[in-house]
C-alpha cells in the first residue's frame, strides 16, 4: 500500500514585508483524489478533490499576497495532464501550467497543452520521469514554435556540467527548479553551482528560488547564500515559488509557505529586485 502525502497547513504565515502587485508563485502543484493517478507513483495525495485543493490554494494566495501562479504537473499523475489542465482552467487567467510529456510527444500533443494554458514541459533527473534530455532536444524546435519552454529538476553537482553547453544552445528558455537542488555542503563555489550561476548571470537560463526546505531544515539558513548568489547574479532570470502543497517530502519536513516567502524576503530586501523576481520575470517567462 502506498503512503499518503501530508496535507498542507491550513493558513500560512503572513508576509513580513511588502509583496508587490502582480506577484507570482511560480511553482505549485495541484492534486485531487478525484483525478486518475499514475500506476508508477510513489505516494497518494492527501484527501481532497481538485476543487477543494483549488479553494485551499486560493486562500494561500490571498494570505501571501500572490496574484498569479504556475501549476507544475506532478509525476503522481504521470503523463496524463488532465489534473493540471483542469486546475489551470479553474484558476483562470491567474494561472499558467507546466506539463509532462514523453520522448514521443507530437506537435498535436503540444498544441493540446498550449491550448489549455500550459506554457512549458518538465523533465526530472531527481525523481525520474518519462521525458529524457534527448527527448527535450528533439521537441525543442516544436516548443519554440509555440512559445513554450523547458523546466528541469536536476542536481547542479551531478548534472550541470554535462548540460551547460546544450542549455546555451537551446532554442527555448530553460528554467531550473529549486535553486538547482545543490549539495549545500559543497558551498556556492562548487563547480556545478558556479556553472549555474554563470548561466543565470548571462541570461542563458532561468532558475526558481524555491524549496529550500528540501535541502535543509528551517530557518533554511544553510540555503540562504545559494539563493542570494543567484538573485545577485541576475534577478531578471530568477522567479520564486512556494512548491505548495509540498508533496513527495521524503526526509524533508512539511513547511509553511509563508515562512518560505519570508525567508526569500529576508534575503532579497531591495524592493526593486523583489519586484523583478516576483512580478516582471515570471510575467515574461510565463506570458501573463
Amino acid at each position: 500500500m502506498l503512503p499518503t502525502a501530508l496535507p498542507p497547513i491550513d493558513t500560512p504565515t503572513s508576509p513580513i514585508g511588502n509583496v508587490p502587485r502582480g506577484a507570482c508563485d511560480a511553482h505549485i502543484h495541484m492534486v485531487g483524489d478525484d483525478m486518475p493517478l499514475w500506476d508508477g507513483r510513489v505516494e497518494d495525495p492527501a484527501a481532497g478533490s481538485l476543487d477543494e485543493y483549488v479553494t485551499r490554494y486560493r486562500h494561500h494566495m490571498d494570505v501571501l499576497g500572490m496574484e498569479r501562479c504556475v501549476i507544475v504537473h506532478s509525476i503522481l499523475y504521470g503523463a496524463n495532464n488532465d489534473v493540471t489542465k483542469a486546475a489551470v482552467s479553474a484558476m483562470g487567467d491567474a494561472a499558467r501550467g507546466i506539463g509532462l510529456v514523453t520522448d514521443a510527444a507530437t506537435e498535436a500533443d503540444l498544441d493540446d497543452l498550449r491550448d489549455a494554458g500550459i506554457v512549458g514541459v518538465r523533465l526530472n533527473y531527481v525523481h525520474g520521469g518519462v521525458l529524457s534530455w534527448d527527448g527535450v532536444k528533439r521537441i525543442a524546435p516544436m516548443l519554440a514554435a509555440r512559445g513554450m519552454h523547458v523546466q528541469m529538476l536536476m542536481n547542479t553537482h551531478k548534472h550541470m556540467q554535462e548540460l551547460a553547453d546544450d542549455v546555451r544552445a537551446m532554442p527555448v528558455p530553460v528554467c531550473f527548479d529549486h535553486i538547482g537542488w545543490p549539495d549545500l555542503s559543497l558551498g556556492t563555489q562548487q563547480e556545478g553551482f558556479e556553472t549555474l550561476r554563470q548561466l543565470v548571470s548571462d541570461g542563458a537560463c532561468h532558475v526558481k528560488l524555491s524549496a529550500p526546505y528540501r535541502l535543509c531544515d528551517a530557518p533554511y539558513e544553510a540555503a540562504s547564500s545559494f539563493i542570494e548568489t543567484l538573485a545577485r547574479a541576475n534577478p531578471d532570470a530568477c522567479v520564486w515559488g512556494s512548491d505548495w502543497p509540498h508533496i513527495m517530502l521524503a526526509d524533508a519536513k512539511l513547511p509553511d509557505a509563508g515562512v518560505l516567502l519570508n525567508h526569500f524576503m529576508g534575503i532579497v530586501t531591495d524592493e526593486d529586485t523583489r519586484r523583478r523576481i516576483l512580478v516582471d520575470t515570471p510575467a515574461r517567462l510565463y506570458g501573463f
Side-chain angles (χ1 to χ4, degrees):
M1 187 173 182
L2 292 174
T4 299
L6 294 173
I9 65 171
D10 291 333
T11 299
T13 299
S14 296
I16 56 173
N18 294 323
V19 176
R21 291 293 306 273
C24 179
D25 183 349
H27 193 104
I28 73 163
H29 304 285
M30 279 290 182
V31 297
D33 57 16
D34 56 340
M35 304 298 288
L37 290 157
W38 181 43
D39 288 343
R41 68 191 182 280
V42 297
E43 69 180 26
D44 289 332
S49 67
L50 175 60
D51 286 347
E52 289 170 328
Y53 269 92
V54 168
T55 298
R56 289 179 188 176
Y57 181 66
R58 285 188 184 278
H59 174 60
H60 269 64
M61 289 182 79
D62 289 344
V63 174
L64 298 180
M66 297 288 147
E67 297 181 19
R68 298 165 176 167
C69 67
V70 178
I71 302 168
V72 179
H73 186 68
S74 168
I75 191 63
L76 298 183
Y77 297 90
N80 181 338
N81 290 276
D82 286 354
V83 63
T84 299
K85 291 192 286 186
V88 170
S89 177
M91 294 295 296
D93 198 47
R96 300 289 187 269
I98 300 294
L100 182 61
V101 298
T102 70
D103 285 358
T106 65
E107 297 207 20
D109 293 330
L110 299 180
D111 285 339
D112 178 65
L113 294 179
R114 193 65 184 85
D115 290 345
I118 292 176
V119 297
V121 298
R122 189 190 198 202
L123 74 159
N124 189 327
Y125 270 16
V126 175
H127 300 117
V130 295
L131 179 63
S132 70
W133 187 247
D134 284 341
V136 165
K137 289 192 287 185
R138 184 188 71 81
I139 67 173
M142 294 190 288
L143 295 171
R146 291 158 177 79
M148 300 173 76
H149 70 272
V150 172
Q151 178 177 315
M152 184 174 189
L153 183 63
M154 56 92 205
N155 300 112
T156 52
H157 55 291
K158 295 179 180 179
H159 309 121
M160 194 71 259
Q161 295 303 102
E162 70 188 58
L163 295 171
D165 289 344
D166 280 348
V167 170
R168 288 188 182 277
M170 272 284 162
V172 295
V174 177
C175 183
F176 291 106
D177 292 342
H178 304 343
I179 331 169
W181 204 305
D183 181 339
L184 300 184
S185 70
L186 300 177
T188 59
Q189 300 303 311
Q190 191 274 330
E191 186 178 30
F193 188 80
E194 170 56 24
T195 298
L196 174 62
R197 186 207 63 78
Q198 189 63 59
L199 288 167
V200 169
S201 179
D202 294 344
C205 75
H206 291 73
V207 66
K208 296 189 178 188
L209 308 181
S210 54
Y213 74 94
R214 295 192 183 272
L215 308 176
C216 59
D217 291 339
Y220 313 120
E221 291 177 357
S224 296
S225 62
F226 291 80
I227 293 172
E228 181 178 16
T229 295
L230 295 171
R232 285 184 180 276
N234 186 1
D236 295 326
C238 296
V239 298
W240 177 85
S242 69
D243 199 28
W244 187 93
H246 321 298
I247 56 177
M248 296 172 62
L249 285 170
D251 296 330
K253 297 176 182 176
L254 184 71
D256 174 331
V259 171
L260 296 173
L261 177 59
N262 286 336
H263 177 251
F264 163 78
M265 302 269 275
I267 296 167
V268 179
T269 57
D270 175 70
E271 292 199 2
D272 178 68
T273 305
R274 286 179 181 172
R275 178 185 51 77
R276 290 159 72 183
I277 294 172
L278 292 172
V279 182
D280 298 343
T281 304
R284 287 193 305 272
L285 182 60
Y286 302 108
F288 285 107

